[in-house]
Amino acid sequence: MQFASWLSQRLRTRAVKQAWGLAPAQKGWFLLGLGKEASPWMGVHTVQYLAGDLEDQSVLGVSHGLRQSGASRGAFQGRHRVNMGLPMDQVVSGVLAIPVGLGPSDREAEVQLEAARTLDLEPQEISFDWQMDLLSDGVLDQLLWVACNKASIERFNQCVQRSGWQLASVEPVAQAAQRAASCLCGGLTVLLTRPVQDWQFDLARLTDTEAMPTARVGPMTLEQSVQEVLQSPAGPRLVAAGLALKAWT
């Protein structure tokens, strides 16, 4: 069964021909599309700055920009899936210690309550994710969790649905930046020496990139060089690339 599950995942990820990431930027969003071109690596086929608000349904809004980009790639309605980035100031995370032996549903309930307390919201008002920490000592299970206000996710989803796209996932921008930096061919110096259309990414490096749990990725845990990039004009583009790369994880 484990082999069948692994094979199914490999076939599914290999079937992905192109993927999209949408990252927050100053007064707008950066949309970046990756696809396999002539080289063995993934290349950038689209990069576009979408000005405006997510709620704006006019030609100045993000939904309209997404719709136009989808049409330019010749996709059928609803075929495009996009991964979106959540700003770190909208994310909370932590580690929760619980007694060994609790079932998955009980663990999830404990995480939900802890995250809701941290956000000062009702449990039903949050979106969250969690995973077991491999460092658990056999007496207490360490659960790594990350959460945000559910309203943020609903806001993203409504914007994407209006464009005729599908929202594939939402994740903190720091996680996406780390993924892109780890897979970028030539290292981060490429960001200064080549235009974004020439960036390439090696999918073979994705396994190591995903080893760090989302709950442990934040501005203070990133490499110094990645932190600096996030503060630069190239930051949103790198995040968008990392979000697109999630399609192959």
Side-chain angles (χ1 to χ4, degrees), residues 212-228:
M212 180 177 288
T214 301
R216 285 188 170 172
V217 176
M220 299 307 296
T221 60
L222 294 177
E223 298 174 8
Q224 181 64 34
S225 55
V226 180
Q227 292 184 42
E228 293 173 357

Side-chain angles (χ1 to χ4, degrees), residues 104-202:
S105 60
D106 291 328
R107 292 172 181 171
E108 185 162 306
E110 292 290 336
V111 169
Q112 185 176 22
L113 289 173
E114 179 69 13
R117 282 193 292 266
T118 304
L119 285 166
D120 196 22
L121 295 170
E122 294 298 320
Q124 67 272 17
E125 294 177 332
I126 69 168
S127 290
F128 66 99
D129 195 10
W130 63 276
Q131 66 184 82
M132 292 285 295
D133 189 346
L134 297 179
L135 299 179
S136 297
D137 59 11
V139 177
L140 294 175
D141 282 335
Q142 304 287 335
L143 306 182
L144 308 175
W145 61 267
V146 61
C148 69
N149 191 327
K150 185 181 291 185
S152 297
I153 308 300
E154 293 175 348
R155 179 171 171 250
F156 288 178
N157 197 41
Q158 290 171 4
C159 172
V160 172
Q161 286 183 342
R162 285 195 299 268
S163 72
W165 289 43
Q166 297 180 37
L167 181 61
S169 71
V170 175
E171 72 172 343
V173 297
Q175 177 85 355
Q178 185 64 65
R179 180 184 298 116
S182 299
C183 298
L184 182 62
C185 298
L188 291 178
T189 56
V190 168
L191 305 182
L192 301 176
T193 59
R194 299 181 190 174
V196 62
Q197 291 85 354
D198 291 342
W199 295 358
Q200 293 183 318
F201 298 88
D202 185 356

Side-chain angles (χ1 to χ4, degrees), residues 7 32 66 74 96-98 137 155 212 221:
L7 180 60
L32 188 143
L66 279 175
L96 178 64
I98 62 172
D137 59 11
R155 179 171 171 250
M212 180 177 288
T221 60

